[in-house]
Amino acid sequence: MKKILYILLGLILLVVIGIGALVTFVNPNQFKPLLTEQVKKMTGRDLVIKGDIRWRFFPTLGLSVGETAFRNPTGFAQPNLVQFKQADLSVSVLPLLSQQLDIGDMRLEGAHVFVQTLKNGVTNLEGLTNKKTAADNATTEQAEADKVAVEDNQQSAKKSHWKVAVAGIELVDASAEIRNDQTNTVAQLNHINFTLGSFAPQTWTKASFDIQGKVNALSFTAKGSTELNLAADYNNVELKSLTAQMSMNDGKTEIKNAQLGLDQFTIGQWSNVTFSVNGQVPNLNFDTHGSTKVKLAPDHNIVTLQGLKVTNDLTGSALPRSTMNVVVNTDATYDINQKLALVSKLDINADGTKISGSGSYLAAAIPDVRFALSSDNIDVDSWLAAKKTTTDSAESAAEVGDTAAVAVDHQPATAEPDLSALKNINVAGMIAIKQLKIANAEVENVKVVTSIKKGVATINRFEANLYDGKITGSASVNVNSALPSYRLKNTITNVAILPLLKAVANNQQLAGKANITADLSGRGLSEANIRHNIAGSVKVNIVDGTVYGVNISDLLRNAKAKLKGQADTGTDTTKKTDFSALTTTLRLGNGIASTDNFQLTSPLLAINGQGKTNLVDEGIDLTINTKVVASGKGLDDIKGISVPIHVGGDWQQPKYRLNIKDLFKNNAVLESKAKKEINRGLEKLFGDKAKDDNIKHAADKLLKGLFN
């Protein structure tokens, strides 16, 4: 028993003597110049270790390092890129005898990282591996003083040929601040936990992280893990088995779960990436997932994406449909130095609507976008289910003669669209569509060249085939004032107007080939503001046409019969008036469209007129004068006589009425004949009493009421 006790005491004594020898003969402060020198070589920056490095004996043998800072260059808001108050390192004892410092687990508590991007784009992360910048980027006066104090110790450390290795790093409850002076944003990261299995070049090791943070009103969490392998010169790193998860919320946008997966990453080689994200923004829920191959060029400047596929399942009232599926396939490259993204082989499939093309995006204070898009067929109406249902109901009512259902009291929308985003982006591009359906109109071979710059959106050129004819034009919208202003110029050539009006307005009252030139402008883009404020002119020329709903010849025959005291001749069941040409110039302003040169000519009739329509309530007040210019069809007796017809009602239900009073007033011969016929009728009725003064006076009042 005593022998065992002596042995134990001897072992304890041996350990005490060993530790005493370690503390006595190995001064840990001699590692300070070695560490600072290695950091200087690798990064070109200064590592400042204030105070002594002390031995730590519990729970394992190791070192405790006090306040330490890794300096920033001058010109940044904080002096240190990285700083911490305390670091604990476990040390292997036996390698010390061979002048090798093997650090086991390095634990840093309360570390803080500060990253800043200046207004000129320079960051404090640049040049970390450029040793030449060490002298050019003088850090701080304190760092220079520390360098002078340790020069002698550095020389002795070099002679000793010490080697340093770190088995692992653990970052506990750290924080970070990422500041971008270009965008005036500050990101605060807190509760950062990070572990690294080992810190040795050309050795695979595991790393994991767990972060919480906030950027303005945005709060987020992120965590993940990977395996990494540092290059011998610390310039490159390889990754494999990367997984990451994130969530975020700013009160409006919520990312419930975002995931990223990477099989491996090596500079200059392809990596397979998978990702998914689901969440919601106001009136929209989204579930997005996809995959791609990615490669970073050896110069660390060009990122290439190949075979990127993104599938989006969308629901919500913000969509043209309650649910949508949008799939995007593309290849892309990003130039980090130029901040330029190029997109090629772009294919978009939105619920069967397919679009292809290419584009580019230049990241700047005002981003710059370029694009070229094309599609074989776009049916906009198929997305607008609610609007289409309303239109179908009106059409059905018209078919069964339910005029009450068609004559809806229209209330123009007053809300202005939010176009403020046009002030913060520059865009230029072109769109080509072979078949386009919008507002029930079928348009072919659409070509649009458009641009957005400084809050002005412009359609520089628009052309399309429209119902056997062609439409060309240009337009612009300026959103730099309280109410956006607009300008529209277009020309319609040889367009079949009946199918166009039927498709767009469910109106079948006018046919022919239309040639229309419009030059319009106004302020406000809500329907109500457009109707109130639109101004300009529209020149109309329609040839070989028909006005449906009225037979003017029939109206004239009935008027003739009434003059002779005969019954109506009956109505033509076709109720239409053919014409060879219809021309007019509409002048728009103050909510009114008016004309004073309406002309319609046909082999039988010549019609001219003037009047107006209210763009707000759609009321019509138009007077047209009709003159028979050809013989036949029972109208020989009134050839050359001008017959006035008043058009009232509204756009959906115009009403036509023969103006008897103006008929006589505008035709002296006809008025004289009518007066003679009336006097003859009075004589037959009253005989000799017709010459009585009272009867003459009553007859004169009757005639004045009729002809004046």
Side-chain angles (χ1 to χ4, degrees):
M1 186 66 180
K2 289 183 179 181
K3 290 183 179 180
I4 296 175
L5 181 59
Y6 291 150
I7 293 173
L8 290 175
L9 290 174
L11 291 174
I12 293 173
L13 182 60
L14 181 61
V15 170
V16 172
I17 293 173
I19 293 174
L22 177 64
V23 174
T24 302
F25 298 108
V26 180
N27 181 6
N29 285 289
Q30 66 180 308
F31 304 134
K32 288 173 59 176
L34 177 62
L35 292 172
T36 56
E37 179 189 26
Q38 292 300 317
V39 170
K40 188 76 170 182
K41 284 183 178 180
M42 290 189 297
T43 67
R45 306 273 186 90
D46 289 304
L47 179 69
V48 179
I49 304 175
K50 296 182 179 180
D52 293 333
I53 301 176
R54 300 182 303 276
W55 287 111
R56 177 175 60 83
F57 301 101
F58 182 83
T60 60
L61 181 63
L63 296 171
S64 290
V65 181
E67 186 176 349
T68 301
F70 179 53
R71 298 296 195 193
N72 274 323
T74 56
F76 290 89
Q78 295 184 15
N80 301 321
L81 174 63
V82 180
Q83 66 186 46
F84 58 85
K85 294 182 178 180
Q86 183 71 31
D88 294 321
L89 306 86
S90 60
V91 178
S92 298
V93 178
L94 291 179
L96 294 175
L97 302 177
S98 302
Q99 295 183 319
Q100 180 173 335
L101 178 59
D102 284 347
I103 301 174
D105 294 325
M106 179 185 294
R107 178 183 174 89
L108 283 75
E109 294 189 12
H112 180 73
V113 178
F114 175 76
V115 178
Q116 183 180 9
T117 300
L118 301 177
K119 289 186 177 181
N120 60 7
V122 175
T123 76
N124 57 345
L125 298 178
E126 293 181 3
L128 288 179
T129 59
N130 187 356
K131 292 179 286 185
K132 190 176 180 180
T133 63
D136 300 332
N137 297 312
T139 56
T140 63
E141 295 181 1
Q142 180 62 46
E144 293 296 333
D146 291 340
K147 266 204 265 184
V148 172
V150 300
E151 282 182 354
D152 294 337
N153 290 333
Q154 283 181 341
Q155 296 299 324
S156 61
K158 289 179 183 178
K159 294 179 181 179
S160 302
H161 302 292
W162 280 90
K163 297 181 180 180
V164 180
V166 180
I169 299 175
E170 183 178 8
L171 197 62
V172 180
D173 200 22
S175 62
E177 180 177 326
I178 303 173
R179 174 174 169 177
N180 191 323
D181 295 342
Q182 291 182 319
T183 59
N184 293 321
T185 58
V186 177
Q188 299 284 351
L189 308 181
N190 49 63
H191 303 297
I192 301 175
N193 296 292
F194 173 80
T195 60
L196 181 66
S198 64
F199 190 78
Q202 298 180 304
T203 301
W204 283 101
T205 185
K206 290 185 178 181
S208 63
F209 65 90
D210 187 352
I211 303 173
Q212 298 179 24
K214 190 172 185 179
V215 181
N216 297 332
L218 172 68
S219 59
F220 66 91
T221 63
K223 63 180 180 179
S225 63
T226 187
E227 294 183 51
L228 59 87
N229 187 354
L230 292 171
D233 58 2
Y234 295 91
N235 282 332
N236 292 322
V237 63
E238 294 180 84
L239 302 176
K240 65 181 180 181
S241 302
L242 170 66
T243 61
Q245 294 180 336
M246 187 190 77
S247 65
M248 57 168 281
N249 194 330
D250 65 358
K252 294 182 179 180
T253 300
E254 180 183 8
I255 302 296
K256 297 179 181 178
N257 184 24
Q259 297 187 4
L260 174 68
L262 178 73
D263 63 342
Q264 68 84 32
F265 172 78
T266 303
I267 300 295
Q269 296 184 17
W270 290 106
S271 304
N272 295 310
V273 179
T274 60
F275 55 89
S276 65
V277 56
N278 67 78
Q280 61 185 26
V281 296
N283 303 316
L284 177 65
N285 296 325
F286 55 89
D287 187 352
T288 300
H289 59 274
S291 61
T292 187
K293 294 176 65 177
V294 62
K295 179 171 66 174
L296 178 62
D299 62 0
H300 297 191
N301 186 47
I302 303 296
V303 179
T304 303
L305 301 179
Q306 188 178 84
L308 172 62
K309 181 177 181 179
V310 184
T311 301
N312 304 276
D313 294 312
L314 311 172
T315 60
S317 59
L319 300 172
R321 290 180 171 179
S322 58
T323 62
M324 289 185 64
N325 175 262
V326 180
V327 180
V328 179
N329 290 275
T330 190
D331 293 342
T333 61
Y334 182 71
D335 188 313
I336 297 174
N337 289 339
Q338 297 186 28
K339 300 180 180 179
L340 176 64
L342 300 176
V343 178
S344 61
K345 298 180 181 179
L346 175 64
D347 290 305
I348 303 173
N349 187 333
D351 281 352
T353 298
K354 298 180 180 180
I355 300 173
S356 60
S358 60
S360 66
Y361 176 87
L362 178 63
I366 298 180
D368 193 278
V369 178
R370 297 288 184 269
F371 66 89
L373 302 174
S374 64
S375 177
D376 289 336
N377 192 339
I378 296 180
D379 185 350
V380 177
D381 294 344
S382 68
W383 292 9
L384 308 177
K387 182 177 180 180
K388 189 174 188 303
T389 300
T390 302
T391 304
D392 290 344
S393 300
E395 290 176 352
S396 300
E399 290 176 1
V400 300
D402 186 358
T403 57
V406 177
V408 177
D409 183 17
H410 181 73
Q411 296 295 329
T414 59
E416 286 289 331
D418 183 5
L419 302 178
S420 58
L422 299 181
K423 301 178 183 179
N424 302 315
I425 192 169
N426 290 334
V427 176
M430 60 182 299
I431 303 171
I433 306 171
K434 290 184 179 180
Q435 300 284 339
L436 173 66
K437 185 177 181 183
I438 180 169
N440 286 324
E442 296 181 356
V443 190
E444 299 177 340
N445 300 321
V446 178
K447 295 181 181 178
V448 181
V449 178
T450 185
S451 63
I452 301 173
K453 190 171 184 179
K454 295 181 179 179
V456 180
T458 304
I459 296 178
N460 302 290
R461 187 177 82 240
F462 175 88
E463 61 181 55
N465 296 333
L466 179 67
Y467 293 100
D468 302 327
K470 189 172 184 178
I471 178 171
T472 60
S474 61
S476 65
V477 176
N478 189 329
V479 301
N480 291 307
S481 56
L483 276 180
S485 60
Y486 58 88
R487 182 75 182 268
L488 169 68
K489 292 183 177 182
N490 65 37
T491 300
I492 294 176
T493 306
N494 207 36
V495 171
I497 197 168
L498 179 62
L500 175 61
L501 290 176
K502 181 180 179 181
V504 174
N506 191 31
N507 188 312
Q508 303 180 54
Q509 296 172 341
L510 183 63
K513 294 289 187 178
N515 296 276
I516 302 172
T517 301
D519 187 353
L520 302 170
S521 61
R523 300 181 69 84
L525 294 176
S526 69
E527 184 181 353
N529 277 329
I530 289 175
R531 290 179 180 239
H532 280 95
N533 301 332
I534 191 169
S537 64
V538 179
K539 296 181 179 180
V540 180
N541 181 4
I542 302 175
V543 298
D544 299 329
T546 299
V547 177
Y548 291 96
V550 60
N551 188 319
I552 296 179
S553 298
D554 189 48
L555 285 176
L556 296 178
R557 281 190 291 269
N558 287 333
K560 174 185 172 183
K562 288 181 179 179
L563 290 174
K564 292 185 176 181
Q566 300 173 354
D568 288 352
T569 60
T571 57
D572 189 334
T573 55
T574 58
K575 273 200 170 184
K576 67 175 185 175
T577 301
D578 296 324
F579 61 88
S580 56
L582 185 157
T583 61
T584 188
T585 298
L586 294 174
R587 295 177 177 82
L588 291 83
N590 300 317
I592 301 294
S594 61
T595 180
D596 57 6
N597 63 351
F598 178 87
Q599 292 185 342
L600 183 148
T601 59
S602 74
L604 178 63
L605 305 170
I607 299 174
N608 61 73
Q610 59 280 326
K612 61 185 178 180
T613 180
N614 192 306
L615 301 177
V616 180
D617 63 19
E618 302 181 358
I620 302 173
D621 182 10
L622 175 66
T623 298
I624 58 177
N625 294 296
T626 305
K627 183 181 292 186
V628 177
V629 296
S631 301
K633 295 189 177 182
L635 298 174
D636 292 344
D637 294 345
I638 58 173
K639 179 180 178 181
I641 294 176
S642 179
V643 180
I645 298 174
H646 181 263
V647 184
D650 57 33
W651 298 353
Q652 295 297 325
Q653 291 182 301
K655 297 178 181 179
Y656 303 91
R657 179 176 59 85
L658 182 66
N659 192 329
I660 299 295
K661 185 180 291 187
D662 288 346
L663 172 64
F664 292 116
K665 185 185 295 184
N666 298 334
N667 297 275
V669 175
L670 189 60
E671 180 180 355
S672 177
K673 288 182 178 180
K675 287 182 178 180
K676 288 180 180 179
E677 291 294 330
I678 291 174
N679 286 327
R680 188 180 295 115
L682 290 173
E683 289 177 359
K684 287 182 179 180
L685 180 63
F686 295 103
D688 293 339
K689 293 182 179 181
K691 297 180 180 180
D692 185 87
D693 291 339
N694 291 330
I695 293 178
K696 281 186 175 182
H697 181 69
D700 288 340
K701 289 183 67 176
L702 176 64
L703 291 174
K704 288 180 180 179
L706 181 62
F707 299 119
N708 296 305

